Every structure is written in structure tokens, then in C-alpha cells.
Amino acid sequence: MIETLMHTLQNRSLADSRSLADAPAIREPRHAPVAHVLRGGVIEGLHHGSVAVLGSDGEVRFHLGDIETAFHPRSALKPVQAVAMVRAGLPLDGELLSLAAASHSGEERHLAGTRRILDLAGATEDDLRNVPDLPYDPAVRDGWVREHRPASRLAQNCSGKHAAMLYTCLLNGWPLESYLAPDHPLQTAIAETVEDLTGQRIAQVTIDGCGAPLFAVSLHGLARAAARITTAATGTPEARVADAMREYPEMASGAGRDVAALMRAVPALLAKDGFEGVQVAALPDGSAIAVKIADGANRARIPVAAAALAHAGVEPELLTAFAGELMLGGGRPVGSVRPVPDLLPRAVATPA
């Protein structure tokens, strides 16, 4: 079925595809050092990765590492998937549309919102095809364990997206049981939107952790897609998704999540994280950043993203809280995770 989808995308009409760049190469990424782990003034560890920064004109303003090779954006692609569903008629707005683009924490508001989407679709949790899991947030997950609550599809962090997929299929008369099949009309529509917003052909299709098709693009393409979403005209599917996520960032993530705090700290910023150290963010003027941490380390994702946002023109004082996790020794701060000097604009403050 994956081969069928790739064949469909590769054989579209010339008129549909002439504006698309070729698919990025599939190769070992040429990552560069992006973050130091400092302890007592000594570099204790080193994270590699890649960073793309686009200016408001869409041109690459700054880059580090390999921003053109194929990679998996993971959940950082969810805003694009949500745009595809809105284009296909999904009528959600506000907090429920934010939840449709979410990697949520499994809080009760997330579960209640997913149930509301399922109710609109005339579906139940049993119709979801994502994998059962415990809530993503550690505190919420611990509460479930204490209460002996089992893993469920509703608690899994992608359930809002999957419920929205079911609703989109219902509205279009598409089969519900096979909605995750790569050659399903829904997934074909999503793939076409991925190519449209990234401006490039998909390099490869595989399966994400939740069971949905996952599309390999470049880091440059991911940043371009985020910029396309934040610069779209009011009322368009892109603008509706951006508005929903910016107004309800905790529905797209959860209480205490760094990506929600980043959107709260930087006015009008759209931001989405993804597993394996992926972060994308964009401003209304089209400035955008995309980050991939090679080893998937979460501790390097946000400070590197903050430094990239400074390159994109965000006021440094808005980013101070995201400069880097402190390293403790005997309960005292003795270092931090800090972007490498080549990435860090001088004006961005960092902890000692």
C-alpha cells in the first residue's frame, strides 16, 4: 500500500507537480555540533543536529548541519496533517482543531476533547486505530498507574489527530476502518498537502509510532511548510490551524510543556515538537525555524530552537527561559545544556 501511494504521487499530472522540487536525498545526514553539555566549564557531552532558519522572504537566513537530506518530522508534521483535513472539509475550530494537531499529554481535557470529536463523527474509542498507551505526561501517567487504569487509545498522545481523521472520513464518505492505510483517500490527501506546503516531493513513506503514515521530507521543507501556514490569508485552512494552535497551545501539547510555554512567550508564534528531537516554529511574517537533534535528545531541542528563533529575529529577552537545561551537582547548578557558539547569537542570554 505504501508503494501504491508513492506511485500515485510520482505519477500526478505535470501541471500538478511542476512547481515541486525533487524529493530530498535519502542518505546519512551530515549533522553538525549544535549543543554542548557543560559541567564546571568543561564540555561533558555534545549533541549533533541540523538547523534551518528562514527569513520572512522565504530564503535561508542561517543553517547548520544538513537541512536538505530526507528525515522524518514525526509529530512536527501534525499542523500540516491538520491543514489537509480542514482542506477536506473538517469543520473544527478553536480548541478541538488545536487538539487535532496535538501531541497531547493525556490530561482529562484532552480525553474529553477527543470524545467530543468522536461524538461528532458518530464514532467511539473502539473506532480509533492508534496504538493504546498511557498518558504522555509523567505526572498524569503516574496517576493512571496508581488508579490501575489500563493503557487506552484515547490516552495515547495522537488520539485527537486520529479522531479528526475519522471525522474527516465520515464527512467525505471515505471508509473508516482503513483510514490509516497509506493508499486511503484521506492519506493521499494528506500526502498531497505535505508536498504542497513543503514545496517538494515526498522522499519516502513509512509508518509513525501511532500507526499513521509518515512522510519523509527535508528540514528546509518542514520550515517552509510552517511559514506557509503562518502567512496564509485569514479564514484559509492554514490560518485556521495556526489560529487554533496559538490560541490553545496547551490543547496541542499540555500543561507545563515547553512547546506551549514557547508559544505563550513569543507573541503569535506557531510551534510544534516531534519525537526524536524535532522542533518547528514560525512567525506571522514567514520567518521560520526547523531543528533536528541527531540523537533525539529532548534536552537539546528547546535551547537549539531558541537560538534559531533569535536568528529569525525574535527578541532575545523573550527566549531567556529557553536557553538551556541546568546541570546539577550536589543539588546546585554547575553547568547547562547550551547551543554551540556557531549557533548562538551573542544577544541571547544563557545560564551559567
Side-chain angles (χ1 to χ4, degrees):
M1 288 184 290
I2 288 175
E3 291 77 10
T4 300
L5 175 56
M6 289 299 296
H7 180 77
T8 299
L9 293 172
Q10 290 165 0
N11 287 277
R12 69 185 65 202
S13 70
L14 179 62
D16 289 337
S17 63
R18 71 168 49 124
S19 62
L20 294 176
D22 290 340
I26 299 174
R27 62 170 185 252
E28 182 176 339
R30 300 159 185 160
H31 291 306
V34 293
H36 290 152
V37 181
L38 298 171
R39 183 179 294 271
V42 174
I43 297 175
E44 183 177 44
L46 177 65
H47 293 288
H48 288 73
S50 295
V51 179
V53 179
L54 306 186
S56 58
D57 58 359
E59 297 298 316
V60 176
R61 175 180 294 179
F62 174 88
H63 75 277
L64 198 59
D66 192 347
I67 68 171
E68 303 296 352
T69 191
F71 89 117
H72 293 309
R74 303 299 299 271
S75 287
L77 202 61
K78 282 179 178 173
V80 178
Q81 293 172 307
V83 168
M85 288 188 277
V86 176
R87 288 181 176 183
L90 183 69
L92 300 179
D93 281 301
E95 59 183 353
L96 291 186
L97 183 53
S98 183
L99 182 60
S103 300
H104 66 69
S105 291
E107 300 163 21
E108 286 304 320
R109 60 178 158 183
H110 300 129
L111 276 58
T114 301
R115 292 190 190 98
R116 287 167 60 191
I117 299 173
L118 289 171
D119 287 344
L120 290 169
T124 70
E125 181 178 353
D126 291 337
D127 295 306
L128 295 171
R129 293 291 179 265
N130 58 319
V131 294
D133 201 357
L134 294 174
Y136 176 75
D137 182 87
V140 179
R141 182 170 60 247
D142 288 348
W144 275 56
V145 172
R146 286 194 300 271
E147 296 168 10
H148 304 288
R149 297 173 70 176
S152 76
R153 299 183 191 275
L154 204 65
Q156 197 266 340
N157 75 90
C158 302
S159 64
K161 178 183 77 174
H162 282 253
M165 286 181 170
L166 284 170
Y167 192 15
T168 304
C169 290
L170 173 76
L171 294 169
N172 285 278
W174 294 333
L176 299 185
E177 290 188 1
S178 59
Y179 76 91
L180 292 185
D183 58 352
H184 189 281
L186 171 66
Q187 302 304 334
T188 299
I190 291 174
E192 290 174 349
T193 300
V194 169
E195 292 196 334
D196 174 40
L197 294 182
T198 62
Q200 63 186 174
R201 293 179 181 273
I202 291 167
Q204 188 182 69
V205 182
T206 185
I207 305 300
D208 209 341
C210 66
L214 176 62
F215 309 102
V217 295
S218 70
L219 203 63
H220 187 179
L222 180 64
R224 189 161 45 227
R228 287 279 305 278
I229 291 172
T230 58
T231 57
T234 301
T236 60
E238 293 89 336
R240 284 171 55 190
V241 170
D243 289 345
M245 293 181 68
R246 289 184 294 213
E247 186 174 359
Y248 299 97
E250 286 81 13
M251 282 300 282
S253 54
R257 293 273 291 278
D258 53 29
V259 69
L262 190 62
M263 281 198 278
R264 293 289 186 195
V266 180
L269 182 73
L270 175 70
K272 184 68 185 77
D273 54 345
F275 280 153
E276 296 301 321
V278 182
Q279 182 71 56
V280 67
L283 293 158
D285 70 352
S287 301
I289 66 106
V291 168
K292 164 64 180 174
I293 305 301
D295 62 1
N298 218 33
R299 67 181 181 181
R301 173 180 52 82
I302 276 292
V304 171
L309 284 169
H311 278 287
V314 174
E315 292 295 328
E317 55 268 24
L318 299 177
L319 301 168
T320 302
F322 308 98
E325 175 184 337
L326 294 177
M327 306 303 294
L328 301 180
R332 297 183 299 106
V334 293
S336 65
V337 180
R338 184 180 300 180
V340 297
D342 285 346
L343 176 59
L344 185 66
R346 292 182 180 180
V348 177
T350 59

